[in-house]
Amino acid sequence: MTDTDAQILIVDDEAAGIGALRRTLRRAGYRNLAWTTDPTEAVQLCLWKAPKLILLDLHMPFMAGDQVLVRMRADLPAESYLPVIVLTGDGSREAKRRTFAAGAQDFVAKPYDRQELLFRIRGQLGIGRLHDDLRAQKQKLEDAVHERTGELRRTQIELMDRLARAAEFRDDCTGEHAQRVGALSARIAGELGLPAQRVELIWRAAALHDIGKIGIADSILLKPGSLTDEEMSSMREHVKIGARILAGGTSTYLQVAEQIALTHHEWWNGNGYLGLRGEEIPIEGRIVAVADVFDALTHVRPYKTAWPLPEAVAHIARRRGIHFDPAVVDAFLRMLAAEGTLPEAPACSGAAAGGDPAPTS
C-alpha cells in the first residue's frame, strides 16, 4: 500500500475548511478520505475507519481538538501509532502547548501553505509506515522467540521424563512410578489451590524425585527384605545424590526438581532424612512426600507387595501431622473424595497391611 492509499480523517467544525482540505488532498493523489464537522463523532470514526493520519482543528464547539485527541488516545492500543496534525488559526504558545500535551505530532497554523502541509502529511505518513513495519517485524521476532522457547521447553520436559524413567527402571521395571508420583503430586497441588503454572512445575519436577537412586548399589536398592541400619544409611544418601545431580540447573523445572529430590523424605515432625520440620520443608517436598508414599504403598516394589487402597489411605490419614503436612493430607483426602476413590470408611487407627510405618520408596 502506498502513502496515497492511506486513510486520512479530517475533523473540523467548518465545512468550508474541510472542503478546502479535501480538494488539496485529492489533487495530491489522496483518495481515501473521511471527515466530520462534529468533534463528538471523531472518536467513533477513528475506531471505525482506523485512519493512518488525522487532520484536527483545535477550537471547535462541544469538544476542543485537544479533548478529542485525549479521548482517541485512551481508546487506542498502547503500541499503536496514529499521527495527528493540528490545523488551527490560533498560533499562540498556549495553543501549541495544549496541542503537544494532548499527543499531537505536528502543529500547522492557518492559513497554511498547501505545499508545506502536503510535505508534513507525507512525512507523518512515512513515519507511521515505518512504525507499522517495525511493529510487524517485532511481532515476527516475538513469534519466532515464542516458538523457539516452546521447542526448548518441550525438549527440556522430554529429557526430564527420560531421565526419570532411566532412574526408575532400576527398581521399577515399568518405569511408571515416577510418572504416577508426578501426576498425583500435581492433583494434590491443584487441590491445595496452587497456581496452574506451579502445578505444572510440580508435575514435571516430581518425576525426578528419586533420580539419586542412580547412585545406590543394586544390592541395597533391589534387596527383597528389610535393610540393615548401614544399608538404610546408604539408601538415605539418594536424596543428596539426586540434589547434586540436579544442582546448578538454570531452568525452573530443574531447580524445583532439585528441591523435591532433596526434601521428599522429610517428616512434618522433623524425623526425616535431613531433620527439617514443618514449613522448613518446601511445599513441593511436602506434596511429593504424600504422593510418593501412597504410590509406593499401592504398587508392588522389590521389598513389598501392594497394599489395598483402603489401608494405604488409612496409613496416610494416620500419619497426618507426624510424617505428613496436615494441609497436604487434607487436600489429598478431598481429592480422592471428589474423584470418588476415597474408601467409605478408611481405618484411621491400628496397623495397615504390611506393617506400620510403611517402607520408604
Side-chain angles (χ1 to χ4, degrees), residues 116-339:
E116 180 185 353
L117 177 61
L118 290 173
F119 177 79
R120 296 195 184 195
I121 288 173
R122 283 195 296 270
Q124 290 299 332
L125 287 174
I127 294 172
R129 176 166 35 81
L130 288 174
H131 186 276
D132 289 345
D133 291 344
L134 286 172
R135 186 171 58 178
Q137 183 64 20
K138 178 184 176 184
Q139 186 60 54
K140 185 177 180 180
L141 290 173
E142 288 177 351
D143 291 344
V145 169
H146 181 74
E147 177 61 27
R148 182 58 178 156
T149 301
E151 290 177 4
L152 290 173
R153 180 174 172 275
R154 289 189 291 271
T155 299
Q156 203 173 61
I157 290 172
E158 182 179 359
L159 288 173
M160 289 177 65
D161 178 64
R162 292 179 184 274
L163 187 59
R165 288 177 183 272
E168 287 298 331
F169 272 129
R170 298 195 60 215
D171 70 339
D172 174 12
C173 62
T174 67
E176 292 178 354
H177 168 69
Q179 309 308 313
R180 291 193 302 264
V181 169
L184 180 55
S185 297
R187 286 155 58 200
I188 296 172
E191 184 62 38
L192 281 168
L194 297 185
Q197 186 177 16
R198 198 170 181 190
V199 169
E200 185 189 6
L201 271 176
I202 292 172
W203 173 31
R204 302 296 185 184
L208 288 170
H209 68 286
D210 274 341
I211 187 66
K213 287 183 177 179
I214 289 174
I216 304 302
D218 285 349
S219 59
I220 296 175
L221 192 62
L222 303 179
K223 184 176 180 179
S226 299
L227 299 179
T228 66
D229 290 345
E230 184 178 356
E231 290 169 336
M232 179 56 71
S233 179
S234 295
M235 174 64 84
R236 290 185 174 188
E237 286 299 305
H238 83 272
V239 299
K240 296 179 182 178
I241 295 170
R244 288 200 296 271
I245 291 172
L246 299 169
T250 57
S251 78
T252 307
Y253 288 108
L254 289 178
Q255 291 167 358
V256 174
E258 176 189 354
Q259 198 173 57
I260 289 172
L262 185 65
T263 63
H264 72 284
H265 279 295
E266 295 308 290
W267 284 36
W268 183 253
N269 68 1
N271 288 338
Y273 285 11
L274 304 177
L276 300 178
R277 67 170 61 242
E279 293 187 0
E280 293 176 351
I281 309 164
I283 184 61
E284 293 85 358
R286 286 179 263 154
I287 290 170
V288 175
V290 171
D292 185 32
V293 170
F294 180 75
D295 189 79
L297 290 175
T298 53
H299 292 84
V300 174
R301 307 294 289 195
Y303 47 80
K304 59 171 283 296
T305 59
W307 289 20
L309 178 64
E311 283 79 1
V313 173
H315 174 82
I316 299 293
R318 272 197 308 277
R319 305 192 73 75
R320 178 186 184 277
I322 301 171
H323 185 166
F324 306 117
D325 178 350
V328 175
V329 172
D330 292 346
F332 169 74
L333 296 176
R334 288 197 307 272
M335 179 204 73
L336 292 181
E339 294 175 356

Side-chain angles (χ1 to χ4, degrees), residues 54-134:
I54 296 177
L55 300 175
L56 179 65
D57 190 16
L58 185 60
H59 295 296
M60 295 181 289
F62 308 116
M63 187 182 296
D66 56 321
Q67 294 175 313
V68 172
L69 186 49
V70 168
R71 291 197 183 183
M72 283 180 177
R73 297 294 189 207
D75 288 335
L76 291 175
E79 70 279 4
S80 66
Y81 180 82
L82 176 58
V84 175
I85 299 176
V86 167
L87 299 174
T88 178
D90 182 358
S92 67
R93 181 177 297 179
E94 175 60 20
K96 292 180 180 180
R97 187 198 65 77
R98 287 173 54 190
T99 294
F100 292 114
Q105 278 67 42
D106 205 348
F107 180 97
V108 177
K110 297 177 182 178
Y112 51 81
D113 180 87
R114 293 180 182 179
Q115 291 304 315
E116 180 185 353
L117 177 61
L118 290 173
F119 177 79
R120 296 195 184 195
I121 288 173
R122 283 195 296 270
Q124 290 299 332
L125 287 174
I127 294 172
R129 176 166 35 81
L130 288 174
H131 186 276
D132 289 345
D133 291 344
L134 286 172

